[in-house]
Amino acid sequence: MKSTEVYYVRGSRCRVESLRCKECGRDYPLEARFVCDHCFGPLEVAYDFSGLEPAETRRKIQAGPQSIWRYADFLPFERPPNTALAAGVTPLVKADRLAARLGLREVWVKNDAANPTHSFKDRVVTVAIAKAQELGYDVVACASTGNLANSVAAHAAAAGLESYVFIPSDLEEQKVLATGVYGTHLVAVRGSYDDVNRLCTELSSERDWAFVNVNVRPYYAEGSKTLGYEIAEQLGWELPDRVVVPIASGSLFTKIARGFEEWLDVGLIHGELPAMNGAQAAGCSPVARAFADDESVCRPVRPDTIAKSLAIGDPADGPYALELARRSGGAIDAVSDEEARDGICLLAETTGIFTETAGGVTTAVLQRLAKRGDIDPNERVVVVITGEGLKTLDAVRGSFETYEIEPRADAFAEALESDRVPA
Ligand SMILES: *Cc1c(COP(=O)(O)O)cnc(C)c1O
Ligand SMILES: [Zn+2]
């Protein structure tokens, strides 16, 4: 197993302390490892932020690059790595027309489709690949529900690394094409994402490769915190009251909250952790079901939904997502594929943002919460849109009509009259 040394810069102590077990608290060196030898709990990066002075830290962030590396003090590197494909600093848009449709006062859309490969996965991949390079790996790989494959292939190409991406063989064609184009080794596995993930876990112990969401997962997961930092910074160093986030493995959901908590601890922002609302598709909703049943662990399911990027039947961070939703006064809801399709259209028609099926699920859950009266009309709500509509075009096929006419003005007038074109 490759390792890196803990080193010191400008006489200051390294803020990155170790990999620490989330269950028993045991420390491990900062290597490519992801599970505790003692209790099999997941490992995550542990920091000591006690030396960070809020005003100076804020100044450094504001003077930093227009990418996630502006938050380098909170990421597991001593120096921001040199990555060719920058991720992050995506738009946070105030969505007044969406808010009005839902009877809410203040809704913001965090549009993470505006990343280099059009999903939030660029945040986690850019961190994982930078770490893989630091640890000396020449080959990177992943088990993907689609967007991760897309992102790993692109970032590996930019870094000049060889890559292998493993996907379920029934993935959307747009995602397959947008991945293969980068010159990766694309492996379609006959099975579900959970089968792909099991295969990659096995392969990661046989091969000296960095699997971004397996053996370097603790670093990968850190990339998601930057979504939380950005929301707070873009709201003028304030927290929203509520955040609606899609859940696949539950990593993004829990890490956005971790980002808020770290900044509260350092004193960069003040107030309370927002209510955290998770969004799943009914056809793959192990976390939403456990939430409804008051369970603390999730029962694995076999996914059947158009929201393929969320189709993880055995979510690694499910228990932590449940704990967070309860502790923050949020919830975890599941919506049907039909509601997700309507969610895509609602977001598109009111904001001009075209999202993939995962964003349809998230928007539909926001709508559900508004209808149910869970959202106080005065709340400031952020809905996190994680991917691009052009990658899941089949979801909107048949949701509108096209009018075909001869190239003559009278033909158009006729069409108008016959009420075939809405005047
Ligand atoms: C991967 C993914 C998610 C959720 O990721 P987790 O961190 O595994 O919960 C959400 N939306 C999209 C579009 C994704 O690709
Ligand atoms: Zn442990």
Side-chain angles (χ1 to χ4, degrees):
M1 193 169 288
K2 290 169 181 172
S3 71
T4 184
E5 288 166 44
V6 177
Y7 47 91
Y8 300 83
V9 172
R10 282 179 255 105
S12 72
R13 208 165 71 79
C14 179
R15 274 178 304 281
V16 194
E17 291 189 316
S18 61
L19 290 179
R20 189 166 295 156
C21 175
K22 278 181 89 154
E23 292 300 322
C24 74
R26 268 192 176 66
D27 283 316
Y28 293 89
L30 292 154
E31 299 170 345
R33 56 164 81 220
F34 62 106
V35 62
C36 177
D37 293 340
H38 181 71
C39 76
F40 303 107
L43 304 184
E44 65 180 354
V45 182
Y47 302 83
D48 174 10
F49 294 126
S50 58
L52 286 183
E53 199 276 313
E56 170 63 12
T57 305
R58 176 168 160 169
R59 194 200 55 74
K60 255 176 83 181
I61 291 170
Q62 286 172 322
Q66 290 296 311
S67 73
I68 65 163
W69 300 115
R70 66 201 279 104
Y71 310 115
D73 277 344
F74 299 87
L75 293 172
F77 300 92
E78 270 308 296
R79 267 174 233 92
N82 223 347
T83 44
L85 267 193
V89 191
T90 57
L92 180 71
V93 185
K94 191 148 179 283
D96 290 340
R97 297 188 59 244
L98 175 60
R101 278 277 279 277
L102 300 175
L104 302 172
R105 185 181 62 97
E106 194 175 336
V107 175
W108 295 78
V109 176
K110 179 62 173 163
N111 183 13
D112 239 31
N115 268 306
T117 71
H118 316 288
S119 85
F120 98 90
K121 289 297 198 300
D122 290 323
R123 295 178 186 273
V124 286
V125 168
T126 198
V127 172
I129 289 193
K131 199 65 187 182
Q133 285 185 290
E134 194 184 283
L135 292 172
Y137 286 97
D138 302 317
V139 181
V140 294
C142 70
S144 174
T145 57
N147 285 316
L148 188 60
N150 215 178
S151 186
V152 165
H155 287 261
L161 295 170
E162 200 175 350
S163 65
Y164 287 80
V165 302
F166 297 81
I167 53 172
S169 57
D170 70 344
L171 217 55
E172 297 96 343
E173 189 186 21
Q174 290 92 6
K175 282 181 184 160
V176 176
L177 293 173
T179 299
V181 72
Y182 294 111
T184 183
H185 301 278
L186 184 55
V187 186
V189 178
R190 292 185 205 106
S192 68
Y193 168 81
D194 299 282
D195 297 322
V196 177
N197 192 44
R198 261 190 301 278
L199 171 64
C200 286
T201 305
E202 193 183 329
L203 292 177
S204 77
S205 65
E206 287 174 2
R207 285 167 201 273
D208 204 15
W209 295 354
F211 282 80
V212 302
N213 56 339
V214 183
N215 52 348
V216 292
R217 185 174 177 85
Y219 308 102
Y220 158 100
E222 292 299 286
S224 286
K225 295 191 307 188
T226 62
L227 241 168
Y229 304 146
E230 264 178 49
I231 290 169
E233 186 185 359
Q234 289 172 321
L235 288 175
W237 305 88
E238 281 184 16
L239 282 172
D241 299 303
R242 185 180 300 275
V243 186
V244 187
V245 184
I247 292 181
S249 72
S251 176
L252 173 66
F253 182 68
T254 50
K255 288 292 181 173
I256 288 177
R258 172 63 60 81
F260 294 148
E261 286 171 333
E262 286 176 349
W263 276 22
L264 284 166
D265 284 348
V266 170
L268 277 167
I269 49 175
H270 304 280
E272 269 180 49
L273 185 65
M276 297 295 298
N277 281 95
Q280 293 211 290
C284 181
S285 53
V287 196
R289 191 172 311 166
F291 184 86
D293 294 348
D294 229 6
E295 307 274 2
S296 57
V297 291
C298 306
R299 223 165 336 113
V301 301
R302 181 153 266 280
D304 179 18
T305 169
I306 58 166
K308 294 184 193 293
S309 55
L310 302 182
I312 297 185
D314 189 7
D317 291 300
Y320 306 109
L322 288 165
E323 187 271 326
L324 171 63
R326 291 183 179 126
R327 167 165 66 87
S328 66
I332 299 169
D333 282 85
V335 293
S336 69
D337 284 358
E338 220 32 63
E339 289 174 286
R341 278 200 185 87
D342 292 347
I344 293 175
C345 297
L346 174 65
L347 187 73
E349 289 166 14
T350 56
T351 68
I353 295 168
F354 179 27
T355 184
E356 70 152 82
T357 44
V361 167
T362 315
T363 306
V365 165
L366 174 70
Q367 185 166 29
R368 167 88 60 90
L369 297 172
K371 274 194 190 142
R372 202 160 67 199
D374 282 11
I375 304 179
D376 183 292
N378 288 319
E379 278 183 23
R380 173 189 275 179
V381 184
V382 173
V383 56
V384 178
I385 296 303
T386 46
E388 163 66 50
L390 293 173
K391 290 198 204 181
T392 60
L393 284 171
D394 283 334
V396 295
R397 207 180 293 284
S399 67
F400 56 89
E401 265 181 77
T402 309
Y403 299 92
E404 197 172 318
I405 61 167
E406 294 304 320
R408 294 190 323 267
D410 65 325
F412 177 60
E414 206 174 286
L416 271 189
E417 240 160 67
S418 67
D419 205 21
R420 285 167 56 229
V421 178

